[in-house]
Amino acid sequence: EPWKIAKRNVIHARAIIPLGERVGMDIGYVRQVQYKAYNTMFGGNLALRISQSIDNPSNIYLGGWVRMNDAYVPMLGLEFNGIKIMSSMDINVSDVKTATAGTGGYELSLIYTRRNSAEQDFSRMNIY
């Protein structure tokens, strides 16, 4: 059946680790397999809370990911008023760099998080 698309299997893991009152780490792993194509990534971000508020934190993020046998992906971000702006740049180290003229790809993410009050939100146990 030529119109049938192979299923994709994904394993995703994430951990948020508080390292102090204002510092935390967000690490993750992603493995995707579809037919003969596969992709493995791991990495994370270090977060520094720059505001006094626990209910409405402002954070700076610095980190990166590695896409195995393909690219390094450094990341930088800022969070305020529930809005997180993250930027990253793929730095290709595989043969794909020929197709991208060695420049990789730039990504800008905009994430909105609606937070519950501290009494109802168990995530308040850390800086996120």
Side-chain angles (χ1 to χ4, degrees):
E1 301 176 36
W3 60 87
K4 194 170 186 177
I5 297 174
K7 70 178 178 177
R8 178 170 52 171
N9 297 302
V10 178
I11 297 171
H12 182 260
R14 181 177 178 217
I16 297 174
I17 305 165
L19 300 175
E21 188 176 314
R22 292 180 172 263
V23 181
M25 180 169 255
D26 179 358
I27 58 173
Y29 170 86
V30 179
R31 170 77 173 177
Q32 300 180 69
V33 179
Q34 185 173 18
Y35 190 54
K36 295 180 181 180
Y38 60 91
N39 183 354
T40 303
M41 292 184 68
F42 63 90
N45 292 304
L46 192 62
L48 174 63
R49 192 174 77 222
I50 56 176
S51 68
Q52 296 294 326
S53 174
I54 293 175
D55 288 326
N56 189 17
S58 294
N59 297 311
I60 294 176
Y61 297 91
L62 178 64
W65 286 74
V66 173
R67 190 168 47 246
M68 295 300 294
N69 303 315
D70 184 32
Y72 300 113
V73 186
M75 300 180 77
L76 181 63
L78 178 64
E79 178 181 19
F80 55 94
N81 294 326
I83 298 170
K84 189 184 295 185
I85 301 169
M86 302 290 287
S87 65
S88 64
M89 176 74 171
D90 286 20
I91 300 170
N92 296 111
V93 294
S94 69
D95 291 339
V96 174
K97 65 183 176 185
T98 305
T100 63
T103 60
Y106 179 75
E107 181 176 315
L108 183 65
S109 301
L110 181 62
I111 303 160
Y112 173 72
T113 304
R114 184 180 153 261
R115 298 188 185 273
N116 293 326
S117 68
E119 299 84 37
Q120 299 173 350
D121 190 352
F122 291 113
S123 71
R124 291 291 158 253
M125 293 187 294
N126 59 51
I127 68 167
Y128 301 101

